[in-house]
Amino acid sequence: MKPLWVCILQTPLALATFELSTQGRWIVDEVGKRVQLACASWYGFDQRDLCPGGLDRQPLDAISDLVFDMGFNCVRLPVSLAAVLE
């Protein structure tokens, strides 16, 4: 089973719901189970065209499967406020 973030990338945002919170120093899911994030940074949203890198060469499903296969369970998307406001 793919982790939730992969499903979010492949599902309209309105249908994707989940909840993470903190308990002391831990990140936990809806039932209080500790979650350890292993994040990859995906460049592109911080660039002028605000498009994640690689989408012009591979479909989103292929990229998200690759990220998952590499052992990551989340993706950081750096955003440039200046690029958004331009």
Side-chain angles (χ1 to χ4, degrees):
M1 176 181 228
K2 293 181 182 179
L4 184 58
W5 71 267
V6 173
C7 298
I8 289 172
L9 288 176
Q10 297 172 347
T11 305
L13 189 56
L15 300 177
T17 61
F18 65 96
E19 183 176 329
L20 294 178
S21 60
T22 57
Q23 256 178 13
R25 66 183 185 130
W26 305 110
I27 299 171
V28 296
D29 63 14
E30 301 96 353
V31 296
K33 183 179 174 188
R34 287 191 343 202
V35 175
Q36 183 172 7
L37 299 178
C39 298
S41 290
W42 192 356
Y43 75 94
F45 281 112
D46 55 339
Q47 304 297 314
R48 178 168 290 200
D49 60 1
L50 298 175
C51 181
L55 287 178
D56 58 334
R57 299 176 185 262
Q58 292 285 327
L60 180 58
D61 291 349
I63 294 172
S64 63
D65 286 344
L66 176 63
V67 171
F68 173 73
D69 291 344
M70 293 173 71
F72 296 101
N73 63 4
C74 71
V75 175
R76 287 185 298 261
L77 299 171
V79 176
S80 165
L81 183 58
V84 171
L85 294 176
E86 285 181 359

